């Protein structure tokens, strides 16, 4: 593939929609061509900025109220005795109260206010250390995730230490992830590819470096660097005892995604 | 795979009627999962309808249909794609009910994949405007809102719904090549307009583009 061929397919490439030979050819060209690498980075940053712009006028809409109205409408279509209806209303009232708590919790969570910290980042840190729920070969439910994500044998010059494991990453709703350990005597880290799409871990921990967005924090002396994979749009992270800068450096190579 | 979400009447027995029972969501699980996608769902409704009150109404109807069709959602399939498909169904039904014809399709765009006009080099825009640049945000939204529906709908399903090309094709019931072609034209159009904006506002870098 030459520059022209790459640029003709650049959108499909950054969207993660190229497969097989086309994907291999694009990856090979991108890794060998500084100009196309720069252009692909610019396109990814531009797409991210467009997404932010299109989300900018959503404002505050009460989901709890909308959900309650939808649920009541469904219930009203179903025959129910008066007593059952009262019970349902009581449950609905409790759900509204719970939803209000969730809204408050979400705000604190989003802003990384204790005790919530940065829930996504904390979950990533936990996923790097917790024992796996299922070995790689024994998780048929996660085949789809593994089909998309194969931890490479080396990452940013660091070799994979052992096979990746499937992890259940405990965000609020649960999500699955693949993890693999990389490193040498100098630097060791865990890379995590999750199936969680559309997450923005933290407003306060967001940093921009060279036009790329990262979410960083330190938990129990371990740096957590998370980012959105431009290919799958899902949340990925590196967790390690190295400095945030070293992890970002290693994560740069991961942003092109295996 | 969940089928025909929200487009038919009550379908709680769908799974068993098909003889292939699958695990479905409970209402509580549905509510939790909706929390995750509520913002992009609302943003998509806004860009589809271009009016706030109508967008809120679209989301409300989508939630109702989601609740009603829980039995047709199969756990483990993409919840997001399912919900955005319901939203699109609701939107299309509205358009039909109001007697508004969908905008015409340019026959030229029916030849997929072959893009005679490559997208402009976005580096010509220079440094991207800061996230606090609301004027840029407004320019983006106005450009999207001004697009004919055939380009606007796949664009918002892609950019806000995070749907794959295949999921958009399934949602809109059009070939994947047509999705690619429409997305390409929509995004090329956006880049051209924002390059103009960047030039007018002094962002554009010399020699770029
Ligand atoms: Zn090149």
């Amino acid at each position: 593939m030459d520059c022209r061929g790459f640029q003709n397919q650049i959108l499909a490439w950054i969207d993660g929609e190229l497969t097989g030979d086309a994907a291999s050819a694009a990856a090979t060209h991108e890794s060998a061509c500084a100009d196309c690498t720069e252009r692909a980075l610019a396109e990814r940053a531009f797409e991210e900025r467009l997404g932010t712009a299109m989300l900018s006028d959503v404002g505050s809409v009460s989901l709890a109220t909308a959900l309650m109205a939808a649920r009541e409408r469904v219930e009203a279509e179903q025959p129910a005795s008066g007593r059952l209806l009262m019970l349902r209303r009581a449950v609905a009232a409790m759900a509204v109260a719970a939803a209000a708590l969730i809204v408050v919790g979400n705000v604190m969570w989003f802003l990384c206010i204790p005790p919530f910290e940065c829930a996504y980042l904390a979950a990533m840190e936990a996923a790097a250390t917790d024992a796996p729920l299922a070995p790689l070969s024994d998780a048929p439910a996660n085949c789809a995730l593994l089909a998309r994500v194969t931890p490479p044998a080396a990452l940013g010059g660091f070799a994979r230490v052992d096979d990746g494991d499937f992890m259940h990453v405990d965000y609020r709703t649960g999500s699955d992830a693949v993890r693999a350990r990389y490193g040498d005597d100098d630097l060791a880290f865990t890379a995590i590819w999750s199936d969680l799409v559309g997450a923005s871990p933290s407003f306060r921990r967001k940093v921009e470096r060279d036009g790329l967005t990262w979410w960083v924090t330190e938990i129990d002396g371990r740096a957590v660097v998370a980012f959105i994979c431009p290919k799958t749009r899902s949340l990925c992270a590196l967790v390690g005892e190295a400095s945030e800068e070293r992890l970002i450096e290693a994560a740069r190579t991961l942003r092109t995604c295996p | 795979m969940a089928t025909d979400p929200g487009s038919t009447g009550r379908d709680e027995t769908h799974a068993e009627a098909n003889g292939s029972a699958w695990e479905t969501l409970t209402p509580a699980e549905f509510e939790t999962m909706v929390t995750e996608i509520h913002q992009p769902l609302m943003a998509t409704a806004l860009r589809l309808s271009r009016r706030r009150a109508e967008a809120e109404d679209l989301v409300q109807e989508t939630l109702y249909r989601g609740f009603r069709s829980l039995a047709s959602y199969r756990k483990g399939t993409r919840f997001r794609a399912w919900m955005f498909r319901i939203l699109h169904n609701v939107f299309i039904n509205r358009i039909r009910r109001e007697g508004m014809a969908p905008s015409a399709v340019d026959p030229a765009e029916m030849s997929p994949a072959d893009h005679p006009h490559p997208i402009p080099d976005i580096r010509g825009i220079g440094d991207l405007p800061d996230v606090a640049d609301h004027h840029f945000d407004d320019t983006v939204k106005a450009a999207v809102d001004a697009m004919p529906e055939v380009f606007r709908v796949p664009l918002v399903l892609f950019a806000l719904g995070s749907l794959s090309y295949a999921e958009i094709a399934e949602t809109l019931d059009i070939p994947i090549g047509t999705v690619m072609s429409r997305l390409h034209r929509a995004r090329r159009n956006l880049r051209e307009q924002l390059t103009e904006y960047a030039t007018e506002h002094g962002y554009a870098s010399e020699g770029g583009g």
Side-chain angles (χ1 to χ4, degrees):
Chain A
M1 181 180 281
D2 58 8
C3 292
R4 190 187 163 89
F6 181 85
Q7 284 161 19
N8 278 343
Q9 303 202 65
I10 194 165
L11 292 183
W13 171 240
I14 65 169
D15 295 345
E17 294 276 357
L18 289 186
T19 54
D21 291 346
S24 307
T28 305
H29 182 81
E30 192 185 29
S31 62
C33 176
D35 190 53
C36 287
T37 299
E38 189 189 294
R39 180 141 183 218
L41 273 175
E43 292 292 347
R44 288 178 177 121
F46 183 71
E47 286 290 321
E48 197 173 328
R49 183 66 185 85
L50 286 183
T52 313
M54 281 195 256
L55 274 169
S56 63
D57 60 351
V58 170
S60 61
V61 183
S62 171
L63 177 62
T65 310
L67 277 173
M68 189 176 72
R71 195 175 41 227
E72 283 189 343
R73 207 173 137 196
V74 172
E75 284 171 356
E77 291 173 352
Q78 296 165 343
S81 71
R83 223 174 130 185
L84 193 55
L85 205 59
M86 277 173 64
L87 184 65
R88 281 185 175 153
R89 283 191 177 145
V91 170
M94 283 163 68
V96 170
L101 274 175
I102 287 172
V103 168
V104 172
N106 273 346
V107 171
M108 293 173 73
W109 180 53
F110 183 66
L111 294 176
C112 301
I113 295 170
F116 290 84
E117 297 298 341
C118 302
Y120 285 122
L121 303 180
M124 283 301 193
E125 200 270 348
T129 50
D130 287 354
L133 280 191
L136 198 58
S137 56
D138 188 28
N142 291 313
C143 279
L145 182 60
L146 189 61
R148 290 202 312 273
V149 178
T150 307
L155 194 59
F158 297 96
R160 197 171 73 208
V161 175
D162 54 22
D163 285 332
D165 297 317
F166 274 113
M167 289 296 306
H168 176 78
V169 183
D170 191 12
Y171 308 108
R172 284 176 311 132
T173 55
S175 180
D176 289 317
V178 170
R179 77 175 180 189
R181 293 183 192 85
Y182 292 85
D184 55 19
D185 294 341
D186 182 38
L187 170 70
F189 59 84
T190 302
I192 300 166
W193 293 263
S194 83
D195 64 354
L196 188 85
V197 174
S200 290
S202 162
F203 175 67
R204 285 168 51 181
R205 301 290 188 176
K206 188 173 172 179
V207 296
E208 301 278 343
R209 296 275 160 79
D210 305 328
L212 300 174
T213 300
W214 308 93
W215 288 278
V216 298
T217 192
E218 191 185 297
I219 300 172
D220 294 337
R222 295 154 63 86
V224 181
V225 170
F227 60 94
I228 301 297
C229 170
K231 187 174 171 187
T232 62
R233 292 174 176 241
S234 58
L235 189 64
C236 300
L238 293 195
V239 181
E241 279 154 26
S243 71
E244 174 190 316
E245 292 305 325
R246 292 294 309 273
L247 280 186
I248 287 183
E249 200 181 307
R252 261 178 215 289
T253 54
L254 185 55
R255 280 189 86 128
T256 56
C257 283
Chain B
M1 192 69 153
T3 51
D4 207 14
S7 62
T8 56
R10 220 172 269 146
D11 43 12
E12 287 84 352
T13 56
H14 180 94
E16 279 158 56
N18 261 359
S20 56
W22 56 64
E23 207 183 344
T24 58
L25 291 177
T26 65
E29 285 171 329
F30 172 78
E31 292 186 9
T32 307
M33 288 172 83
V34 161
T35 311
E36 299 280 338
I37 60 165
H38 183 228
Q39 281 231 329
L41 202 65
M42 182 63 198
T44 303
L46 264 173
R47 296 279 77 77
L48 289 179
S49 66
R50 297 178 280 203
R51 287 194 295 271
R52 184 160 195 93
E54 198 175 319
E56 287 177 9
D57 214 31
L58 281 178
V59 170
Q60 179 69 69
E61 184 71 15
T62 302
L63 293 176
Y64 159 69
R65 289 187 187 217
F67 259 124
R68 204 181 59 171
S69 311
L70 279 184
S72 75
Y73 173 76
R74 188 194 290 225
K75 249 187 191 176
T77 59
R78 278 252 293 168
F79 178 73
R80 200 179 177 98
W82 185 68
M83 283 299 287
F84 278 84
R85 195 171 167 203
I86 295 179
L87 174 67
H88 179 256
N89 284 344
V90 172
F91 171 66
I92 289 298
N93 287 343
R94 287 266 158 109
I95 288 184
R96 288 190 186 135
R97 206 174 58 210
E98 288 165 15
M100 288 152 64
S103 45
V105 179
D106 175 356
E109 68 99 10
M110 298 307 286
S111 57
D114 180 27
H115 308 304
H117 305 291
I119 56 161
D121 189 343
I122 208 60
R123 288 172 297 181
I125 288 187
D127 290 336
L128 283 175
D130 188 80
V131 287
D133 186 342
H134 300 307
H135 193 246
F136 177 82
D137 293 348
D138 292 343
T139 306
V140 171
K141 285 177 284 185
V144 173
D145 289 355
M147 279 182 198
E149 201 182 287
V150 289
F151 301 116
R152 184 164 41 94
V153 174
L155 179 69
V156 296
L157 289 176
F158 174 78
L160 292 167
S162 298
L163 266 58
S164 68
Y165 295 176
E167 286 169 339
I168 296 170
E170 196 187 329
T171 300
L172 305 183
D173 199 19
I174 55 177
I176 196 164
T178 308
V179 170
M180 289 170 73
S181 175
R182 290 182 187 180
L183 273 178
H184 183 91
R185 282 185 58 172
R187 291 157 91 186
R188 192 181 78 218
N189 175 283
L190 261 185
R191 280 161 174 74
E192 285 165 356
Q193 292 203 40
L194 294 168
T195 303
E196 269 177 40
Y197 171 89
T199 307
E200 282 168 20
H201 290 77
Y203 291 112
S205 58
E206 280 179 35

